[in-house]
Amino acid sequence: DAGVIQSPRHEVTEMGQEVTLRCKPISGHNSLFWYRQTMMRGLELLIYFNNNVPIDDSGMPEDRFSAKMPNASFSTLKIQPSEPRDSAVYFCASKPAGTTTTQYFGPGTRLTVL
Amino acid sequence: AQSVSQHNHHVILSEAASLELGCNYSYGGTVNLFWYVQYPGQHLQLLLKYFSGDPLVKGIKGFEAEFIKSKFSFNLRKPSVQWSDTAEYFCAVTGNSGNTPLVFGKGTRLSVIA
């Protein structure tokens, strides 16, 4: 089992540029979650999908952020345009169906916006 | 609103000392409870979880946690810490009604010194 795969692992970009983060959930998992981790705010849920459908995107900071899940094995989180305050570690997690199952986290993408 | 409170921001212990990290939650209904650990530079890994049954749950690496429903608490314990336990520890809660996301506490940083 390869676990949750995220790419890139590190991204450095300049303010105003578009950034796309990618996530491949564990095969067979039907829920996918995007989190952001910063020193100031800790771990925040941005958005999550069940069966490829966005369920709750209330954590998405603003319109500059968007997420898609075109199929069960792939999701993207896009920031356009990026700003220095978006610098953080972005984690993707996936979970099998059921009420007593566990989320598994990917290694994260460390984003630095200059 | 659902929330998780971790009382200690940073705990410093000597090797072989006993550990207890506090976690209280606010969540309507039946809950599932988790402790995740994040070693320096790594992603979150599940330490232990509680869904139902025996309120004292044992996890990996000698950790355990006790669910006390009347106190809305799920404190993490280890009788004797090691230097390799240096990490950040996150308590999380989710509802027991489907693929709902985790609500995380702010985390407790544990530093174990020789």
Side-chain angles (χ1 to χ4, degrees):
Chain A
D1 188 350
V4 177
I5 299 172
Q6 290 187 247
S7 64
R9 294 293 307 277
H10 301 272
E11 176 81 31
V12 180
T13 190
E14 293 188 342
M15 183 174 63
Q17 296 299 306
E18 177 180 295
V19 175
T20 300
L21 311 181
R22 297 173 177 79
C23 175
K24 176 178 169 55
I26 294 172
S27 177
H29 287 194
N30 75 328
S31 294
L32 183 140
F33 307 82
W34 282 101
Y35 294 88
R36 178 172 67 175
Q37 185 179 35
T38 61
M39 289 289 290
M40 291 295 294
R41 301 170 72 94
L43 269 164
E44 304 172 278
L45 176 71
L46 299 177
I47 185 171
Y48 78 100
F49 297 83
N50 283 346
N51 297 313
N52 314 335
V53 177
I55 302 300
D56 183 358
D57 65 354
S58 59
M60 296 285 262
E62 48 199 89
D63 292 346
R64 297 184 297 106
F65 285 69
S66 62
K68 294 182 179 179
M69 191 165 186
N71 57 62
S73 59
F74 184 66
S75 177
T76 60
L77 178 67
K78 185 175 293 186
I79 308 172
Q80 166 63 21
S82 57
E83 296 182 2
R85 61 191 166 127
D86 301 330
S87 297
V89 180
Y90 291 80
F91 288 103
C92 177
S94 70
K95 177 181 174 296
T99 59
T100 57
T101 56
T102 303
Q103 284 187 31
Y104 293 88
F105 283 78
T109 295
R110 181 174 295 277
L111 173 65
T112 303
V113 183
L114 303 173
Chain B
Q2 304 96 340
S3 66
V4 175
S5 175
Q6 292 183 240
H7 317 297
N8 310 103
H9 179 64
H10 190 190
V11 173
I12 302 173
L13 293 174
S14 298
E15 277 194 315
S18 64
L19 169 72
E20 180 160 3
L21 302 182
C23 172
N24 287 89
Y25 66 92
S26 172
Y27 202 103
T30 306
V31 295
N32 297 331
L33 294 155
F34 305 82
W35 277 96
Y36 281 84
V37 60
Q38 186 177 28
Y39 296 102
Q42 296 189 25
H43 63 286
L44 280 82
Q45 302 171 45
L46 182 69
L47 205 52
L48 48 78
K49 59 190 176 185
Y50 171 81
F51 292 138
S52 64
D54 188 345
L56 183 63
V57 292
K58 296 191 182 298
I60 60 171
K61 304 186 180 186
F63 286 91
E64 65 178 30
E66 185 174 12
F67 170 49
I68 303 179
K69 189 175 181 180
S70 61
K71 295 185 177 180
F72 300 92
S73 70
F74 191 55
N75 292 355
L76 181 71
R77 300 194 292 250
K78 185 171 183 178
S80 176
V81 295
Q82 301 172 315
W83 178 81
S84 58
D85 294 324
T86 295
E88 190 144 15
Y89 293 81
F90 294 90
C91 182
V93 64
T94 186
N96 190 21
S97 58
N99 291 331
T100 51
L102 291 167
V103 176
F104 282 92
K106 293 290 187 186
T108 297
R109 182 186 300 178
L110 172 64
S111 298
V112 180
I113 55 178

